[in-house]
Amino acid sequence: MSVVMQADRRGLGLGLAMLLAAAVLLAVGVSVGSTGLAGLLDARQDPVAWQIVRDIRLPRTLGAWAAGALLGVAGAVAQGLFRNPLADPYLLGSASGAALGVALALVLTGLSPFATEWVVRLGLTGAAFGGAVAGVLLTLVLASGVVHTLRLLLSGVVVGVVLGAARDLVTLANPDILQAMQSFMLGSTGFVGWSACAVMLVLLLPMLAVAWSLGRTLDALALGEATAASLGLPLPAMRAALVGVIALATGASVAQTGLIAFVGLAAPHLVRSLAPVPYGRLVVLSALAGGLLLMAADVLARWLIAPQELPVGVLTGVLGGSYLLWLMHRRSRQGRLS
C-alpha cells in the first residue's frame, strides 16, 4: 500500500508541476513575438499591442497546449492498446488520411495556402479532420473490426503507406500545392485562433474522461489479451472505444496544427520515467506532458530566429527524438550495469 501511495504522490506532484510550468509558459508565450515583451507591457495603452496579445498570441499558446494534450492522450492510449511503447497516435492511418484530405481540398477548391479567411481555414480544417477519421475507418475495415489487436496494427501500417503514396501522387500531379503541403506536414500553430482552441478543448474533456474510465482495461491489456479476457472484460467494445479516442483526439489536433512529430510518442514515456502510475492516471498526466511539450516547442519556434519562425513540428521532432534516444541509451546502459 505504501508503494501505491508513494506512486500516487509522485503522480500528483508531477501533475501540479506541469500545470505550474504550463502557466509560466503561457505568460512567456504571450510575450514572445515581433514586438517582444515591451508590446505586452504596453498593451493597455496600445490597442494594437493588446489585439496582438488577445487575438494572436494567447489563443496560439493555448491552442498549442490543447493540441499537445490531445496528442498526449492519444499516444498513451495507443501504447496501452497495442502494448507497444513505440506506438504513436498516427499509427492507425490518421496522419496519412489527414494529409491526403488537405491535398485533395487544395486541388479541388484551388484555395490559396496563405489565405487566412475563416472560410478557408474551415475548409482545410474540415478536410484534415475528415481525412484523419476516414483513414482510421479504412483501417478498421481492413482489420475486420477491433477483435485482433495485431491485425489492427498491421492494417494501420498498410493504410498509412497507401494513403501516403496517394498524397504524394496528388502533390506530384499538382506541384502548386507543394508549399502548402510542406507547411502542413511540418506542423504549425500559427493559424490557431479562439475557435480552434474551443474545438480542441471541448473534445479534450470527453476524450480524457473516456480514456480515464478505461484505464483498468488498459492495465489489464498490459498483462496480455488472454489475461484481460479472463477478467470478464468486454474487450471488443472497449477496444472500439479506445480506437475512437485515438481517432478523434488525433484528428482534432492534426486538423488544427498539421502533423506534429513525437509529442504523442514522447509524452507517455516522459511520464513513466518520472512517475510510474496506472493507466487511468497516465492518460491524464500524458495530456499535461503533451501540452507542455508542444507549448514549449511553440515558444521556441517563435523565439529562436525571431522575428521569423521555425516550423514547430521540426522542433518537436528534434527535441522528442533526442529525448527518446537519450532514454533508450540510459535504459540500455542500466541493463548492462545490472
Side-chain angles (χ1 to χ4, degrees):
M1 181 63 68
S2 59
V3 175
V4 175
M5 293 180 61
Q6 184 178 6
D8 288 341
R9 289 198 196 97
R10 291 183 64 181
L12 179 60
L14 178 61
L16 293 175
M18 288 191 293
L19 285 174
L20 179 60
V24 172
L25 280 177
L26 178 63
V28 175
V30 298
S31 66
V32 173
S34 58
T35 59
L37 182 60
L40 176 62
L41 297 177
D42 297 336
R44 292 185 178 181
Q45 291 77 26
D46 187 351
V48 176
W50 171 244
Q51 186 176 13
I52 291 173
V53 171
R54 182 192 61 196
D55 297 333
I56 298 178
R57 295 183 185 176
L58 185 56
R60 174 176 181 169
T61 307
L62 286 175
W65 183 90
L70 286 169
L71 291 176
V73 172
V77 171
Q79 291 175 15
L81 177 62
F82 296 115
R83 303 195 306 277
N84 189 335
L86 295 180
D88 71 354
Y90 303 147
L91 202 56
L92 295 179
S94 57
S96 299
L100 178 59
V102 169
L104 291 175
L106 288 171
V107 171
L108 295 177
T109 61
L111 298 177
S112 169
F114 303 105
T116 58
E117 291 82 5
W118 69 271
V119 176
V120 175
R121 293 299 305 159
L122 180 62
L124 297 182
T125 298
F129 183 80
V133 174
V136 175
L137 292 177
L138 183 58
T139 298
L140 293 176
V141 171
L142 186 61
S144 300
V146 294
V147 177
H148 302 288
T149 303
L150 180 58
R151 183 185 299 175
L152 185 64
L153 177 61
L154 294 176
S155 299
V157 173
V158 172
V159 168
V161 172
V162 172
L163 294 184
R167 177 207 67 217
D168 292 338
L169 288 175
V170 172
T171 305
L172 288 173
N174 301 271
D176 54 318
I177 69 170
L178 182 60
Q179 188 172 4
M181 286 305 302
Q182 184 181 23
S183 177
F184 178 82
M185 297 297 292
L186 293 177
S188 174
T189 56
F191 296 105
V192 175
W194 284 117
S195 60
C197 284
V199 169
M200 289 189 287
L201 290 173
V202 166
L203 281 175
L204 175 62
L205 294 178
M207 295 301 100
L208 266 178
V210 173
W212 180 79
S213 66
L214 295 175
R216 295 183 62 184
T217 302
L218 292 171
D219 288 329
L221 285 173
L223 301 175
E225 292 198 20
T227 302
S230 68
L231 297 175
L233 297 174
L235 291 183
M238 291 183 171
R239 282 199 201 96
L242 293 171
V243 169
V245 169
I246 297 173
L248 291 176
T250 305
S253 177
V254 168
Q256 304 296 340
T257 62
L259 302 184
I260 304 294
F262 274 108
V263 171
L265 179 60
H269 283 277
L270 178 63
V271 173
R272 291 191 193 95
S273 64
L274 296 176
V277 292
Y279 261 101
R281 297 174 180 84
L282 177 66
V283 293
V284 177
L285 293 176
S286 295
L288 297 177
L292 187 64
L293 288 174
L294 189 51
M295 187 186 288
D298 175 63
V299 171
L300 286 175
R302 286 183 273 163
W303 173 72
L304 287 176
I305 58 172
Q308 296 179 335
E309 295 184 13
L310 288 172
V312 69
V314 173
L315 281 180
T316 58
V318 171
L319 297 176
S322 299
Y323 168 74
L324 290 177
L325 287 174
W326 172 80
L327 186 62
M328 292 173 63
H329 172 71
R330 189 184 70 171
R331 289 183 177 179
S332 63
R333 185 176 180 181
Q334 289 174 349
R336 289 195 300 267
L337 292 177
S338 61

